Amino acid sequence: MDFQLTPDQIALRDTARKFAREEMVPVAKGYDQTGEFPLPVIAKGFELGLMNMTLPVELGGLGLSHFEQALVVEELAAGCAGISTSMIANDLALLPILIGGTAEQKERLVKPFSETLRFASFGLTEPGAGSDVSGLATTAVRDGDHYVLNGSKMWITNGGHADQFTIFATVDKKAGRKGITCFVVEGRPEGLSSGHHEDKLGQRASNTVALTLENVRVPVANRIGAEGQGWEIAMGTLDNSRPLTAMLAVGIGRAAMDHAIAYAKERKQFGQPIASFQAIQFMIADMATELHAARLLSYEAAAQLDAGQRNTLVSSHAKRFAADTAMKVCTDAVQIFGGYGYSKEYPVEKLFRDAKLIQIYEGTSQIQRMVIARELLKG
């Protein structure tokens, strides 16, 4: 691997960093308090090309590499993880189409997102099927040239604002994962409804809702892949998205470390800055080492995608380690701030709350360990 960034990559990273500092950081606290959808910030990011970054050039995208997208996501997450999650949610929702769709489907269902600011949502998790994806209960019944979808989806990012939904449903419950099939629901057809915005612990600027599908009719032309290929498409999508989720964690942790370092230099106890105490120095040193390791794991997972390699093992390493590292770094940052770290007046409290979600969504840290063990044991 070449660890030297090209001039173009440096410029891209710096653009994202400037955007995060100037457009996200000043408003992050306000959106965290209100839970409002940060549409003005997202619109500015779209105009700068900080959304839909890896869409192929032929579909109107920038055609950036996964590695380059990872560089951007770290910078955005250091600004605000909630806003960042809403900005990259399209990538997750459109990936199944890019992975399993036909040329016609990509042109019709993906390209429009590079032309105007629109939101798509990814619908896999259900009230009774989170980590156990194969247990999903949403059904799809063929009816002539359509499928009729019924069921519920949970924790749908941007679901209250999206006008396109990638939904996984089963055409045969008895078949388990072999019955799972992928569909794209366009617009908000009759029978599709979204619930209230969830009042979450962290990443509160990210819109999160439940979806209900009651006899929603979807054209056969909007089925992605063949019947029963949904499991494979979903797992391929998560392999692609894990490096980004890992970089979200790295960005959150880096911001917490930066705040901790600045505070340790200013805060005085016993007549000297607490940064002069070895106990504080060791905490900061561990933060830096573990974040650096998490970043490199994420880089490798993204680089494997760019090389066309299967990255299941390394992407699970990256997501698990980065998520747990971010939580540890943020916990230590709160500790360095002491009582002030527990106050909403100071930034590390929000980062602490934002970090927790990375250990849960897109495969919990425990699920990542299961994936890692499975990959190793099967050789």
Side-chain angles (χ1 to χ4, degrees), residues 89-102 105-106 110 121-123 166-168 182-184 224-225 230 232-238 240:
N90 279 4
D91 294 280
L92 184 63
L94 300 178
L95 267 171
I97 308 170
L98 294 174
I99 290 172
T102 64
Q105 288 173 328
K106 293 174 186 177
V110 175
S121 291
F122 179 81
T166 303
I167 301 293
F168 291 85
C182 180
F183 302 91
V184 173
I224 307 302
E232 180 183 346
I233 292 171
M235 294 304 103
T237 298
L238 294 176
N240 274 259

Side-chain angles (χ1 to χ4, degrees), residues 349-368:
E349 178 270 346
K350 174 184 179 295
L351 294 165
F352 176 90
R353 290 185 286 107
D354 287 347
K356 184 59 193 174
L357 185 56
I358 310 292
Q359 291 182 306
I360 298 172
Y361 69 2
E362 292 193 42
T364 65
S365 292
Q366 289 69 35
I367 287 294
Q368 301 308 326

Side-chain angles (χ1 to χ4, degrees), residues 167-191:
I167 301 293
F168 291 85
T170 181
V171 296
D172 183 359
K173 285 186 177 182
K174 295 180 181 179
R177 68 179 61 177
K178 293 182 179 179
I180 297 174
T181 306
C182 180
F183 302 91
V184 173
V185 179
E186 295 183 83
R188 286 183 172 267
E190 183 179 356

Side-chain angles (χ1 to χ4, degrees), residues 89-347:
N90 279 4
D91 294 280
L92 184 63
L94 300 178
L95 267 171
I97 308 170
L98 294 174
I99 290 172
T102 64
E104 184 276 332
Q105 288 173 328
K106 293 174 186 177
E107 183 76 17
R108 177 166 54 89
L109 301 172
V110 175
K111 188 174 182 179
F113 287 86
S114 66
E115 298 169 345
T116 57
L117 177 59
R118 296 175 57 193
F119 299 101
S121 291
F122 179 81
L124 181 62
T125 300
E126 297 184 356
S131 296
D132 180 17
V133 175
S134 63
L136 64 80
T138 298
T139 59
V141 177
R142 181 77 179 257
D143 180 23
D145 292 334
H146 288 76
Y147 286 88
V148 180
L149 273 56
N150 283 280
S152 299
K153 297 294 180 179
M154 285 294 293
W155 315 118
I156 306 303
T157 301
N158 291 351
H161 300 269
D163 62 6
Q164 184 168 297
F165 302 85
T166 303
I167 301 293
F168 291 85
T170 181
V171 296
D172 183 359
K173 285 186 177 182
K174 295 180 181 179
R177 68 179 61 177
K178 293 182 179 179
I180 297 174
T181 306
C182 180
F183 302 91
V184 173
V185 179
E186 295 183 83
R188 286 183 172 267
E190 183 179 356
L192 176 68
S193 60
S194 57
H196 65 275
H197 172 46
E198 298 289 344
D199 189 10
K200 306 190 298 294
L201 173 73
Q203 299 201 24
R204 292 170 52 80
S206 171
N207 176 256
T208 308
V209 302
L211 286 181
T212 301
L213 300 101
E214 296 180 324
N215 295 322
V216 174
R217 296 183 66 82
V218 180
V220 173
N222 282 20
R223 185 190 69 209
I224 307 302
E227 289 190 358
Q229 285 189 328
W231 170 267
E232 180 183 346
I233 292 171
M235 294 304 103
T237 298
L238 294 176
D239 282 350
N240 274 259
S241 68
R242 281 192 202 110
L244 295 187
T245 311
M247 289 306 285
L248 275 172
V250 172
I252 295 169
R254 193 192 82 196
M257 181 182 70
D258 289 345
H259 285 301
I261 290 172
Y263 182 78
K265 290 179 179 179
E266 296 173 1
R267 174 66 169 172
K268 290 186 177 181
Q269 291 286 274
F270 309 104
Q272 55 188 313
I274 62 172
S276 66
F277 300 138
Q278 192 175 69
I280 301 297
Q281 293 174 0
F282 281 9
M283 292 171 74
I284 291 172
D286 286 347
M287 290 179 185
T289 299
E290 290 161 15
L291 284 171
H292 189 60
R295 181 181 293 108
L296 293 179
L297 273 173
S298 305
Y299 282 175
E300 183 181 6
Q304 284 186 337
L305 286 176
D306 291 330
Q309 299 171 359
R310 184 172 179 271
N311 76 336
T312 303
L313 177 60
V314 175
S315 67
S316 288
H317 280 319
K319 203 276 184 179
R320 197 289 300 171
F321 185 74
D324 292 349
T325 293
M327 195 69 240
K328 180 179 182 297
V329 168
C330 289
T331 300
D332 286 347
V334 170
Q335 192 72 15
I336 288 173
F337 270 74
Y340 293 113
Y342 205 66
S343 169
K344 289 184 179 294
E345 185 177 350
Y346 291 82

